[in-house]
Amino acid sequence: MQETAVTVDPNITDPAESTSAAQETSAPDATGHRVGVAVVGLGGAVASTMVAGVELLRLGAVGSAGLPFADRTELTPYESLRFGGWDLDPADLAKAAQVHQVLEPAQLDLVAGHLETLTPWPAVADPRWCRNAGGANVVEISSLRERIARIRDDLQRFRTEQELDTVVVLNLASTEAVPPDTTFLADAAALERAIDADDPAVTPGVLYAYAAISETCPYVNFTPGAGAESPALQHLAEQHGVPIAGRDGKTGQTMLKTVLAPALRSRGLHVDGWYSTNLLGNRDGEILNDPDSMASKVNTKGSVLDSMLGYAVDDHIVRIDYYRPRGDAKESWDNIDLTGFLGGRMQLKLDFLCRDSVLAAPLVLELVRMVVEAHRRGESGAQEQLGYFFKSPVTRDSRPPEHGFARQEQTLNDWLDGR
Ligand code: DG6
């Protein structure tokens, strides 16, 4: 296993300490506000890493490396967050984390007692939209209205049992295919009709978003699936006064693309082609072995270049290969062909030996803090200032999104500073 972004404090070695510390988590944050996070895909590599990371922070066993907004102490403290959520796999989070092999064994030992207390709720699934995802922990209801009611019941129970003021719904589920026809998301009335008609095009991701918004829970879609970008759900979110954000987390290769492309443009270097490939062996990669799920991911990964460069790159190629030996240790490789002054040809190569979930987990924690802040400020609907986090940022009125990383970061910091 490669070195992780966090290290274990050797002074904390007793797993029992983590269990007792976990019980202190019912305390509200410094503002007296209790925030819960209901995760779609709680047993996944990103979610289990996120929950373990918060517990390690609470124990003082790790520092804030990798958490880009750790100095924003006005936001909800990471350690005060409570977690629950759904997964197709009924295994508790200690077992899930053991399977995903993202944590160092010493880290897992410290938090196993806490992770064992978290068992996913049965999930709403539809194999038509995510063929490679399987598991026995499913809600056996076919009517869409009843499925929504079940998700809402789970959210109400979580809120009551944990005495929460705000519950954020965070979608970290496996990549769904995007329905070929999404006219049912064109407006709120069309979505209501589709739900009433049990339209098979209404994906589980849309049901979770609909249920979250109906329960006035801020909603974050970290997956490429359809939902938060749609006029129907944006309108619903405005009606219910909740912020929504998405879609598809920009964590590694695409993050670097959105740093580099504006710089190449700024220096007048023409991008003739950009070949990007990924090897990964985690469950995310396994799901992407299905061509329809892959199409969703390639769509969001492939959408970023042209607007930053100001011209279409015909040879922008995105490939993803599921390659088991790598596990969560993804390798993303890029070759960029460039033309400069006097027609001089150049190549730029990037080889990022990264950790898929180690990159993603801190970003979803920051997103939770951001949407809680937006909610506190009374903001609702699509949160464009959060584009920094996404490959395909939601915008109001279908405006083209800003993809450039530096501009996105500036916009976000301006918003945080109230400018
Ligand atoms: C292949 O890229 C697998 C994906 O799930 C990514 O690892 C993830 O979405 C992050 O993508 P990116 O392009 O920001 O590295």
Side-chain angles (χ1 to χ4, degrees):
M1 180 176 284
Q2 295 177 7
E3 192 185 346
T4 56
V6 289
T7 51
V8 175
D9 182 340
N11 297 321
I12 302 175
T13 51
D14 181 3
E17 286 180 40
S18 82
T19 310
S20 61
Q23 285 159 358
E24 291 162 18
T25 60
S26 57
D29 70 23
T31 63
H33 203 81
R34 294 170 198 264
V35 177
V37 188
V39 185
V40 189
L42 181 65
V46 176
S48 54
T49 304
M50 165 181 70
V51 176
V54 165
E55 192 57 18
L56 287 164
L57 281 169
R58 190 174 318 173
L59 292 171
V62 295
S64 59
L67 289 160
F69 295 94
D71 60 345
R72 293 282 181 173
T73 50
E74 72 273 25
L75 301 176
T76 305
Y78 309 102
E79 297 88 342
S80 71
L81 298 171
R82 312 298 315 272
F83 296 97
W86 307 263
D87 204 280
L88 298 176
D89 189 331
D92 67 58
L93 258 61
K95 293 197 185 79
Q98 206 164 13
V99 169
H100 297 311
Q101 293 193 348
V102 178
L103 303 174
E104 296 289 350
Q107 293 172 334
L108 184 53
D109 281 352
L110 277 176
V111 297
H114 175 64
L115 296 185
E116 276 167 10
T117 66
L118 292 168
T119 303
W121 315 323
V124 163
D126 186 338
R128 283 173 297 201
W129 301 113
C130 197
R131 272 193 290 270
N132 286 1
N137 200 33
V138 287
V139 169
E140 302 284 359
I141 306 170
S142 53
S143 141
L144 297 186
R145 285 276 171 220
E146 285 172 341
R147 287 177 160 218
I148 291 166
R150 177 65 182 263
I151 299 168
R152 294 185 64 172
D153 285 350
D154 289 337
L155 290 170
Q156 287 165 15
R157 196 188 60 251
F158 184 47
R159 198 192 289 262
T160 306
E161 285 179 2
Q162 304 280 337
E163 299 177 10
L164 301 166
D165 298 299
T166 304
V167 175
V168 174
V169 174
L170 175 60
N171 189 349
L172 300 180
S174 299
T175 302
E176 287 177 344
V178 172
D181 179 1
T182 53
T183 45
F184 71 92
L185 288 169
D187 59 61
L191 177 56
E192 297 293 347
R193 282 196 302 274
I195 293 171
D196 282 335
D198 285 324
D199 184 337
V202 182
T203 58
V206 170
L207 296 181
Y208 279 107
Y210 182 98
I213 296 165
S214 306
E215 284 298 315
T216 64
C217 298
Y219 174 75
V220 176
N221 183 11
F222 206 70
T223 81
E229 76 296 345
S230 70
L233 287 170
Q234 289 191 15
H235 182 66
L236 196 68
E238 282 161 17
Q239 270 181 338
H240 285 81
V242 289
I244 58 173
R247 75 190 202 200
D248 201 6
K250 179 165 95 171
T251 64
Q253 184 173 56
T254 310
M255 182 270 287
L256 291 177
K257 233 172 228 181
T258 63
V259 171
L260 271 176
L264 297 171
R265 178 182 183 169
S266 170
R267 287 294 167 102
L269 295 171
H270 186 271
V271 175
D272 303 323
W274 196 312
Y275 176 88
S276 319
T277 191
N278 299 261
L279 303 176
L280 76 168
N282 57 13
R283 197 162 71 185
D284 184 26
E286 188 179 358
I287 300 297
L288 294 174
N289 248 347
D290 174 65
D292 291 340
S293 294
M294 178 72 86
S296 292
K297 180 63 85 176
V298 169
N299 181 38
T300 55
K301 279 176 81 87
S303 68
V304 299
L305 269 190
D306 296 355
S307 65
M308 285 182 295
L309 294 171
Y311 52 88
V313 180
D314 293 336
D315 295 296
H316 180 200
I317 292 171
V318 175
R319 297 212 189 290
I320 305 167
D321 281 313
Y322 175 53
Y323 179 59
R324 280 190 304 172
R326 288 296 170 87
D328 200 66
K330 182 173 99 165
E331 177 166 3
S332 68
W333 189 86
D334 291 81
N335 170 83
I336 308 153
D337 281 284
L338 301 164
T339 302
F341 190 48
L342 307 177
R345 305 292 303 273
M346 293 166 249
Q347 289 184 356
L348 173 57
K349 317 274 184 189
L350 290 176
D351 191 0
F352 192 5
L353 298 166
C354 60
R355 300 287 300 277
D356 215 19
S357 303
V358 169
L359 289 175
L363 298 189
V364 292
L365 281 172
E366 299 297 12
L367 271 165
V368 167
R369 301 169 81 218
M370 298 291 169
V371 291
V372 169
E373 176 62 12
H375 202 209
R376 194 188 64 75
R377 294 185 189 186
E379 295 177 15
S380 64
Q383 300 298 296
E384 294 186 349
Q385 77 282 7
L386 303 183
Y388 166 92
F389 294 97
F390 297 107
K391 294 189 187 76
S392 182
V394 296
T395 57
R396 291 165 194 255
D397 308 319
S398 308
R399 282 196 296 259
E402 170 61 58
H403 286 294
F405 190 80
R407 284 193 186 168
Q408 289 177 326
E409 186 184 28
Q410 187 64 50
T411 301
L412 181 52
N413 279 317
D414 285 350
W415 176 76
L416 285 167
D417 292 336
R419 289 200 289 266

